[in-house]
Amino acid sequence: MSKGIHLSVVFFFFFSDFEDDDMYGQSVEDDYCCISPATGWLPLMHTKLYSCLDHMRTVLGDAVPDSVLTQAAIKCGFDPQRALDAVLCEKQDFSLKNISPGVSTKSRDASHNKLDSEVLPKVARMTVSGKKQTMGFDVPSTGENGVVVTATEAASKRPETPSKGSNGDEPMTGPTLSRSSGKARQAINIKAELEKRQGGKPLLNLVVIGHVDAGKSTLMGHLLYLLGNVNKRTMHKYEQESKKAGKASFAYAWVLDETGEERDRGVTMDVGMTKFETNSKVVTLMDAPGHKDFIPNMITGAAQADVAVLVVDASRGEFEAGFEAGGQTREHALLVRSLGVTQLAVAVNKMDQVNWQQERFQEIISKLGHFLKQAGFKESDVFYIPTSGLSGENLATRSSVSQLTSWYSGPSLLEQIDAFKAPQRSVDKPFRLCVSDVFKDQGSGFCVTGKIEAGYIQTGDKILAMPPNETCTVKGITLHDEALDWAAAGDHVSLTLTGMDIIKINMGCVFCDPKEPIRVCTRFRARVLIFNIEIPITQGFPVLLHYQTVSEPATIRKLISVLHKSSGEVLKKKPKCLSKGMNAIVEIQTQRPVSLELYKDYKELGRFMLRYVGSTIAAGVVTEIKE
Ligand code: GDP
């Protein structure tokens, strides 16, 4: 089956109507990738097939050939879940033979035998109680958005007006919460608490992106080592083990690639997470997978990021390979921008391979700079740093290599991360957390992880899960392995929950304040920017809706209007089709209910991407929520 659409981009003043500091690039059109021939209109069966295949690929990536997926899809009447089960049940048969070639072939090791059998379980990691997780949700039995607030919830309502401090101090301004520890709930000022926490250092969620083998894991592993986050003994152990395995150059990457199969395969498959501190920030680091098989996992990481480090390989030919069609440099940069990341540090890595040549550094900056501008990054928010992840130059401290210092006197990577502007957190808004993982813990209850997008939470709180529109109690809150009484917007936390069955919670489910719940719908209107697609988008076009940690099959239900790219004025009502570069209002219908917010209310929960047969075809923002 041909992948008829390739990603290219036409970014205009897409988001400019919504916010000044989040503006996409100028009116420049650029075809980045080759376009394969259009395949014409899609009959209904193809529509169902593509939707089913797309769904399967979000779990399996490209690890299983199209022919196998197609067969399973047809056999199971295009029911993605059944088809997925069928494929996974037979995985032992084909997974050994059919892992996509070229994964890190030049690097680490070619001994993939062991890994292949392990790849599928790892990629389909999102499991709940041993049951394979489908992304999106099952249809809730109520189908209604009405929320019943129980008497206990009412009793545990937070004070809505500024209240007096426990010591009878002056009334506090700003949002307050009451501590659950101790018998009497004590109201505290969340903003003041946040300032006190971590020595006043704001939290920054950072994702590391870039083409496979650009050196992401080595760079960040080495940085963590230099910062003292990995002790000498452990590093020595990694060095010995990697040497023994014939992969000595990967010792630093092993700091991040924790699992055996990642080491064997030589690529980072999941989004690993760890923490380090700079002078002024506490940084949660997410090392995103670089191979295109793992793009859905990467989206999960990027959806939670405030800022990004894009790693590119400066070696001749390698930068070009990562930057060309099929390379991950462009798609990753576009994805993080679409997901709301505005500040970017570009580590021009492996500079040791090109003798620290200024010309090569400049050449890469000019090629990348042009693209990043079109992708919607402001020039003043992109910072280029020459690095070597292997030798450690310019990572934690400025380099002393004379070949570099003769022309570069800018910041080290760590200094740049420290200089990123801390994002504004919506602590004043009602509580929202989008689930990125669900797992069973020892003891009662279960755990979910995710980033708090808005508001705050404390132990003992009742929170509402949407779907399934049920409440549960927060028994514990963990941030960076530390148990806390409360956590607030921006924190990437793990919550221990009781009073609900784990099977009801899926990745992408949103926990919210029962008093002000998020809306759940299967139909919504959005303003979309169409990327460079070959097949025009018509009514009924099948897509995969990606937002936050959710990936849900959907269709374009209606084409409402085409808008002027910069003024937003309606150019045409009820267009027959949408083609590349257009700005339009469409109505989207999801297969199952999804929790969404209007972009104007919650940027993070109102922004999404549409994918089709493995390529990103549009970015959009929610403008109206239907039923
Ligand atoms: P990732 O796939 O982007 O995480 O890349 P890795 O960190 O796994 O690195 C891929 C390969 O590049 C490994 O062999 C590394 O040792 C090598 N490498 C990483 N950084 C550098 C660097 O700065 N200089 C050189 N010469 N090699 C590097």
Side-chain angles (χ1 to χ4, degrees):
M1 190 178 58
S2 103
K3 288 190 178 181
I5 296 175
H6 290 256
L7 173 68
S8 172
V9 68
V10 189
F11 275 116
F12 296 94
F13 292 97
F14 182 54
F15 285 108
S16 55
D17 292 355
F18 299 95
E19 53 181 332
D20 287 344
D21 63 342
D22 195 15
M23 193 172 74
Y24 268 63
Q26 311 301 305
S27 301
V28 184
E29 181 168 331
D30 191 0
D31 288 352
Y32 294 111
C33 309
C34 53
I35 302 291
S36 59
T39 50
W41 306 111
L42 300 166
L44 184 65
M45 224 169 59
H46 278 195
T47 307
K48 284 185 173 169
L49 175 65
Y50 287 153
S51 161
C52 183
L53 290 177
D54 246 351
H55 188 93
M56 293 166 84
R57 277 203 200 88
T58 57
V59 178
L60 297 170
D62 285 348
V64 182
D66 284 343
S67 56
V68 177
L69 298 187
T70 309
Q71 261 177 22
I74 294 169
K75 219 161 78 188
C76 299
F78 309 114
D79 176 337
Q81 197 43 51
R82 278 178 51 218
L84 208 47
D85 283 346
V87 170
L88 285 169
C89 285
E90 290 171 29
K91 69 178 186 292
Q92 259 72 18
D93 297 340
F94 59 76
S95 64
L96 287 170
K97 302 165 213 149
N98 294 316
I99 295 299
S100 10
V103 177
S104 189
T105 41
K106 90 169 176 45
S107 68
R108 296 191 201 185
D109 184 355
S111 65
H112 290 173
N113 300 350
K114 182 168 154 242
L115 76 97
D116 288 357
S117 59
E118 290 170 348
V119 162
L120 286 175
K122 178 67 184 175
V123 174
R125 187 178 76 94
M126 317 110 192
T127 54
V128 178
S129 309
K131 188 173 145 240
K132 198 161 24 57
Q133 169 96 37
T134 63
M135 293 192 232
F137 314 106
D138 293 324
V139 182
S141 50
T142 62
E144 276 303 314
N145 297 334
V147 180
V148 182
V149 181
T150 63
T152 23
E153 280 154 17
S156 72
K157 275 185 185 174
R158 294 172 177 146
E160 281 174 38
T161 46
S163 56
K164 277 203 166 197
S166 59
N167 309 328
D169 306 343
E170 284 308 298
M172 288 180 276
T173 52
T176 59
L177 58 73
S178 44
R179 274 185 196 274
S180 64
S181 55
K183 279 172 199 147
R185 287 197 156 201
Q186 181 192 19
I188 58 165
N189 183 319
I190 183 69
K191 285 195 171 160
E193 288 295 320
L194 269 169
E195 293 215 338
K196 267 191 262 162
R197 194 176 71 185
Q198 323 262 19
K201 290 184 179 182
L203 272 184
L204 196 66
N205 295 294
L206 180 144
V207 69
V208 185
I209 55 172
H211 192 63
V212 65
D213 282 343
K216 299 180 291 298
S217 304
T218 305
L219 186 92
M220 296 319 288
H222 203 149
L223 179 63
L224 290 176
Y225 172 70
L226 293 171
L227 289 173
N229 288 35
V230 189
N231 66 39
K232 283 217 163 73
R233 231 183 44 221
T234 312
M235 201 59 239
H236 183 69
K237 192 176 119 224
Y238 288 147
E239 277 167 14
Q240 295 300 315
E241 283 176 8
S242 58
K243 223 183 257 166
K244 225 161 92 191
K247 295 179 255 187
S249 70
F250 284 98
Y252 289 116
W254 282 19
V255 172
L256 289 169
D257 296 355
E258 278 166 358
T259 60
E261 61 262 49
E262 285 179 10
R263 290 177 180 180
D264 287 345
R265 190 172 182 184
V267 288
T268 311
M269 287 188 274
D270 234 318
V271 183
M273 238 177 252
T274 182
K275 174 189 122 171
F276 65 90
E277 287 195 30
T278 67
N279 281 340
S280 68
K281 313 254 169 11
V282 175
V283 182
T284 304
L285 165 72
M286 289 166 276
D287 175 44
H291 191 262
K292 77 176 163 55
D293 285 7
F294 311 123
I295 285 266
N297 286 1
M298 189 244 152
I299 290 174
T300 309
Q304 299 171 33
D306 304 310
V307 296
V309 171
L310 169 65
V311 182
V312 297
D313 185 340
S315 325
R316 300 219 170 266
E318 294 301 328
F319 167 74
E320 285 72 15
F323 194 51
E324 277 157 13
Q328 262 62 70
T329 309
R330 286 169 191 272
E331 179 145 29
H332 278 192
L334 281 172
L335 289 183
V336 294
R337 185 63 195 86
S338 315
L339 289 163
V341 170
T342 53
Q343 302 177 79
L344 186 71
V346 181
V348 181
N349 195 35
K350 306 199 189 179
M351 282 297 289
D352 55 303
Q353 294 281 60
V354 293
N355 297 323
W356 302 96
Q357 271 172 17
Q358 185 179 10
E359 298 71 38
R360 180 63 176 158
F361 183 71
Q362 290 302 345
E363 185 186 352
I364 289 172
I365 289 187
S366 73
K367 283 184 181 165
L368 256 182
H370 180 65
F371 164 74
L372 292 173
K373 196 169 160 200
Q374 288 167 345
F377 288 98
K378 282 186 194 163
E379 263 173 291
S380 56
D381 283 337
V382 181
F383 310 90
Y384 299 88
I385 299 128
T387 59
S388 169
L390 203 57
S391 71
E393 294 307 324
N394 236 0
L395 299 188
T397 51
R398 294 189 184 199
S399 171
S400 53
V401 170
S402 60
Q403 284 160 297
L404 176 64
T405 51
S406 63
W407 58 268
Y408 182 81
S409 57
S412 65
L413 182 62
L414 187 69
E415 283 177 289
Q416 183 46 57
I417 294 171
D418 188 52
F420 277 135
K421 284 171 270 182
Q424 291 293 316
R425 310 283 186 201
S426 317
V427 284
D428 302 336
K429 291 186 178 166
F431 175 72
R432 300 283 186 265
L433 175 144
C434 190
V435 174
S436 62
D437 204 357
V438 190
F439 54 94
K440 186 84 186 92
D441 200 12
Q442 296 136 342
S444 62
F446 64 95
C447 293
V448 296
T449 57
K451 186 176 139 207
I452 302 179
E453 294 296 350
Y456 52 86
I457 190 176
Q458 67 174 125
T459 47
D461 271 357
K462 292 258 185 220
I463 51 173
L464 178 75
M466 290 291 257
N469 195 6
E470 282 187 27
T471 49
C472 58
T473 306
V474 180
K475 218 178 107 197
I477 303 171
T478 313
L479 175 70
H480 297 139
D481 295 328
E482 207 181 306
L484 300 173
D485 285 346
W486 60 270
D491 293 348
H492 198 287
V493 290
S494 167
L495 303 180
T496 308
L497 304 173
T498 53
M500 184 184 280
D501 193 339
I502 184 172
I503 56 168
K504 297 203 170 141
I505 300 301
N506 285 334
M507 203 166 104
C509 163
V510 177
F511 281 98
C512 52
D513 182 343
K515 284 184 284 146
E516 294 183 72
I518 191 168
R519 289 177 67 185
V520 173
C521 68
T522 53
R523 215 150 50 82
F524 64 93
R525 288 196 177 181
R527 181 169 174 179
V528 292
L529 169 69
I530 313 292
F531 293 167
N532 195 9
I533 53 168
E534 186 65 14
I535 306 172
I537 293 179
T538 50
Q539 204 171 311
F541 194 90
V543 289
L544 204 60
L545 172 77
H546 277 288
Y547 76 95
Q548 286 287 315
T549 54
V550 178
S551 172
E552 174 69 16
T555 47
I556 308 287
R557 191 170 185 268
K558 275 187 198 161
L559 308 180
I560 311 289
S561 56
V562 175
L563 306 178
H564 187 275
K565 281 153 196 162
S566 37
S567 70
E569 151 205 359
V570 175
L571 296 179
K572 188 173 185 184
K573 285 192 176 161
K574 295 188 181 170
K576 287 263 179 314
C577 65
L578 300 176
S579 52
K580 67 176 177 181
M582 278 186 173
N583 227 222
I585 301 284
V586 296
E587 192 167 302
I588 294 174
Q589 170 98 49
T590 56
Q591 243 175 41
R592 292 168 297 176
V594 290
S595 310
L596 284 174
E597 294 283 5
L598 298 182
Y599 181 78
K600 70 175 177 56
D601 297 337
Y602 290 83
K603 271 191 301 173
E604 305 80 3
L605 297 164
R607 160 173 18 228
F608 62 87
M609 280 174 312
L610 299 177
R611 286 172 62 85
Y612 172 80
V613 200
S615 292
T616 308
I617 60 162
V621 295
V622 180
T623 54
E624 195 181 331
I625 293 176
K626 300 275 184 181
E627 286 316 308

